[in-house]
Amino acid sequence: MVFPKNYKLYIDGKWVDSESGETFPSLNPAKPREIIGNFQLGNGDDVNKAVDAAERAFKKWSEMPAPKRGLILLRAAQILREKKEELARLLTKEMGKVIAEARGDVQEAIDMAEYMAGEGRRLFGYTTPSELRDKFCMTVRMPVGVFGLITPWNFPIAIPAWKIMPALICGNTVVFKPSSDTPLCAIKFVEILEKAGLPKGVLNLVTGPGDTVGMAIVRHEKVRGISFTGHRDTGRTILKEVGLKKVGLELGGKNGIIVLEDADQNLALDGVVWGGYGTTGQRCTAASRVIVHEKIKKKFETMLVNKIKKLKIGSGLDLKTDVGPLINKAAQDKCKNYVEIGLNEGAKLLTGGKIPRMSGFFFEPTLFTDCSMDMRIAQEEIFGPIVSLIPVKDFDEAIDAMNSVEYGLSSSIYTKDMRKAFLAIQRIEAGITYVNSSTIGAEVHLPFGGIKHTGTGVREGGIEGVQEFSEIKTVYIDYSGKLQKAQIDTE
Ligand code: NDP
């Protein structure tokens, strides 16, 4: 019998045990009896040590020229590339997503590492004229200090990369707390950064529960910035406790796809199935609402049901699998509960709705129709393979349905009418709008994030991703040799 390995915390450049002396397991969601490893149950003392180490490392790291910091990220990208398949397989084992998507998850981290390595030669500020003579005005970017990064399980390599890479290139040091459902992915990622040559103390990893380890980071006085991705309610709790820190929250979504009567229906069909059931619906950008013109509703429903019934459920490591397991038992119970809610609300179940007789945390790809926009299944984030179809009579009603939710992350419209496409871009309340493409497919060099209850309005990725992890300093250089007074010396 092979016993699962015990993994450690990474503090001040060393792999160490938690002060608690306790561990917790991480399971394979496709085979819950398989324990992938045991992980340190970190606590507040571990967080204190990690923050102290990050604080000590800050001066040297922030004073290293940014292009040199970039070289370390580039080396990390190279190692990630070499280990891509190994990491992807591990990711599928720990998180459950199908192997092709797991490769995509790792690729996103490679892309982000390369992109942010290049950013080390930019980190732009700007120059602008002064209102006074012989005076020079510019802005420069400064690191924030020790940054606390708290991440979810659904992109266990990509999301840490979307935070760690920009945080490091900007000169911050980091205390990283990953989801307790995917600690091994986090450890493997940190090992790669260590191997790439990151100096000790620059990146510290503390595994353990959100309400103790996560909260200790959020409340810590020496932590100057918090970047969190996760559930809306956790975001709310963090906002209450974080104090006067720089804070970025990336929260939930209830994303919709509009399919108008003139749409290429085969294209829309592929987009809905990929957006709704890819990653088993466990993406913040998952398409969990399909807003369909009533003229094409019947035909589109039939097309959808036929395609959904062909989706194969199973282990993500099996190349034939389309839909892997949910992350854990709670997620499976939540899906079951939402099916009950949908039925009680009067929605019509077209396919799915059950837990299959399999040992993992699987759930059938599920489609409800005849949903109204105010039903709970059409309003609340389910985070599973459950899609609600909302029929509408025209374009205006489609936009109203799209905007009827509290979230505003991703959105999509299928139409051949360019005027309607542009009107939709203008009127949809969301951080991202796709035209004739599904709600998912972020690229690292573009800003990613949402409005309304999807977060605090920060964007990750692109140049905006650098803003989240840096401060702007305004610099005035007066070379006139005399006292000049802005707004007062008007000559
Ligand atoms: P959670 O909010 O439950 O957890 C996210 C992270 O926060 C985990 O590391 C968790 O630790 C930690 N945490 C939990 N409670 C606290 C607390 N009180 N203080 C500090 N940290 C805490 O989200 P999930 O992991 O379940 O992720 C799913 C959610 O993430 C969905 O709502 C999804 O929409 C959202 N998401 C948003 C994205 C975006 O960019 N907008 C992208 C991806 C996901 P632990 O695991 O130990 O509980």
Side-chain angles (χ1 to χ4, degrees):
M1 184 167 169
V2 185
F3 288 101
K5 189 174 163 185
N6 267 8
Y7 291 89
K8 309 227 172 198
L9 309 176
Y10 186 63
I11 298 177
D12 207 13
K14 293 188 200 76
W15 293 94
V16 295
D17 287 331
S18 162
E19 291 292 324
S20 75
E22 290 176 60
T23 59
F24 66 97
S26 174
L27 314 176
N28 175 349
K31 281 192 221 160
R33 281 206 205 114
E34 182 185 328
I35 294 177
I36 289 184
N38 289 314
F39 298 84
Q40 302 297 312
L41 194 79
N43 62 20
D45 292 338
D46 300 314
V47 170
N48 289 340
K49 283 187 186 167
V51 174
D52 287 346
E55 206 193 23
R56 281 195 301 276
F58 177 71
K59 185 169 187 303
K60 214 166 159 195
W61 178 247
S62 59
E63 287 176 358
M64 180 188 282
K68 292 227 159 59
R69 295 199 293 262
L71 287 178
I72 297 179
L73 301 197
L74 203 56
R75 226 171 289 138
Q78 281 156 357
I79 304 171
L80 279 163
R81 233 179 243 293
E82 286 158 20
K83 290 183 174 282
K84 181 172 169 182
E85 190 58 26
E86 183 190 324
L87 280 170
R89 293 186 75 79
L90 183 148
L91 195 156
T92 292
K93 252 183 145 184
E94 190 174 40
M95 182 272 163
K97 66 175 69 173
V98 298
I99 187 72
E101 291 185 34
R103 291 184 190 120
D105 200 308
V106 180
Q107 186 59 46
E108 245 181 89
I110 297 170
D111 294 347
M112 188 51 96
E114 288 175 349
Y115 176 63
M116 284 298 160
E119 199 53 54
R121 290 195 176 266
R122 295 172 8 126
L123 291 181
F124 289 146
Y126 59 85
T127 63
T128 186
S130 168
E131 63 186 50
L132 294 165
R133 284 173 193 275
D134 299 336
K135 192 174 170 189
F136 184 84
C137 307
M138 66 178 171
T139 64
V140 291
R141 263 178 208 287
M142 314 279 291
V144 178
V146 177
F147 234 102
L149 309 180
I150 303 175
T151 57
W153 45 265
N154 65 335
F155 281 83
I157 304 253
I159 292 180
W162 279 65
K163 295 185 191 299
I164 290 173
M165 299 303 176
L168 294 180
I169 203 67
C170 290
N172 304 288
T173 53
V174 167
V175 178
F176 167 36
K177 190 226 124 23
S179 165
S180 299
D181 282 304
T182 50
L184 185 53
C185 288
I187 284 174
K188 292 292 161 191
F189 188 55
V190 169
E191 278 175 5
I192 285 171
L193 279 151
E194 180 189 33
K195 206 167 162 208
L198 213 55
K200 68 171 189 172
V202 170
L203 172 63
N204 304 276
L205 168 83
V206 185
T207 51
D211 53 4
T212 53
V213 172
M215 220 5 108
I217 298 172
V218 167
R219 289 188 182 134
H220 205 294
E221 282 184 6
K222 290 182 185 164
V223 172
R224 304 279 283 273
I226 292 288
S227 178
F228 167 82
T229 298
H231 196 272
R232 178 205 54 195
D233 296 346
T234 318
R236 278 207 179 113
T237 308
I238 288 176
L239 213 47
K240 280 192 206 130
E241 302 289 334
V242 72
L244 297 175
K245 297 183 176 71
K246 194 167 163 63
V247 57
L249 304 180
E250 294 280 353
L251 311 176
K254 188 72 185 175
N255 315 289
I257 294 182
I258 295 175
V259 187
L260 293 183
E261 74 272 33
D262 69 339
D264 176 336
Q265 288 178 37
N266 285 316
L267 190 65
L269 177 70
D270 286 345
V272 168
V273 172
W274 173 229
Y277 305 105
T279 328
T280 320
Q282 302 172 110
R283 289 184 183 232
C284 51
T285 51
S288 57
R289 299 180 298 149
V290 189
I291 300 159
V292 182
H293 195 286
E294 60 189 15
K295 274 194 196 146
I296 58 162
K297 173 188 167 243
K298 273 269 156 270
K299 184 175 164 215
F300 199 63
E301 277 172 4
T302 311
M303 287 164 73
L304 262 175
V305 169
N306 287 342
K307 189 146 181 146
I308 294 166
K309 283 192 166 154
K310 289 194 188 108
L311 295 175
K312 188 172 176 304
I313 307 174
S315 158
L317 289 174
D318 180 345
L319 292 180
K320 292 198 198 91
T321 297
D322 300 298
V323 181
L326 290 160
I327 187 68
N328 52 32
K329 175 85 171 59
Q332 202 183 33
D333 291 343
K334 188 175 176 191
C335 285
K336 196 163 159 252
N337 191 31
Y338 269 104
V339 168
E340 290 297 312
I341 291 170
L343 291 170
N344 289 336
E345 283 178 317
K348 189 169 152 196
L349 183 65
L350 285 182
T351 185
K354 292 195 291 296
I355 294 174
R357 286 168 184 269
M358 298 162 81
S359 67
F361 303 126
F362 296 97
F363 201 84
E364 289 179 353
T366 300
L367 180 67
F368 277 107
T369 191
D370 295 339
C371 303
S372 61
M373 57 179 108
D374 56 351
M375 284 179 180
R376 283 184 63 192
I377 53 166
Q379 286 284 325
E380 297 172 14
E381 186 183 52
I382 301 173
F383 229 57
I386 300 179
V387 175
S388 303
L389 194 146
I390 307 167
V392 288
K393 65 176 185 314
D394 57 24
F395 175 76
D396 286 336
E397 200 180 315
I399 299 290
D400 286 348
M402 181 69 95
N403 291 342
S404 68
V405 293
E406 64 172 302
Y407 298 104
L409 182 52
S410 188
S411 57
S412 146
I413 181 162
Y414 282 82
T415 179
K416 290 185 190 133
D417 182 338
M418 287 313 283
R419 187 180 126 73
K420 290 205 174 118
F422 273 93
L423 282 174
I425 293 168
Q426 199 177 304
R427 289 171 52 189
I428 290 175
E429 296 168 353
I432 306 165
T433 295
Y434 291 88
V435 176
N436 292 327
S437 178
S438 192
T439 49
I440 54 190
E443 299 180 32
V444 300
H445 56 296
L446 282 117
F448 179 90
I451 62 172
K452 294 157 84 178
H453 288 178
T454 291
T456 44
V458 296
R459 295 290 183 270
E460 294 190 339
I463 297 164
E464 286 76 3
V466 164
Q467 280 161 10
E468 183 184 358
F469 296 101
S470 59
E471 298 283 12
I472 287 285
K473 175 174 281 186
T474 309
V475 183
Y476 298 100
I477 303 166
D478 192 322
Y479 52 97
S480 69
K482 61 183 180 192
L483 175 66
Q484 298 198 88
K485 302 182 199 116
Q487 295 91 39
I488 295 172
D489 295 347
T490 49
E491 278 299 288

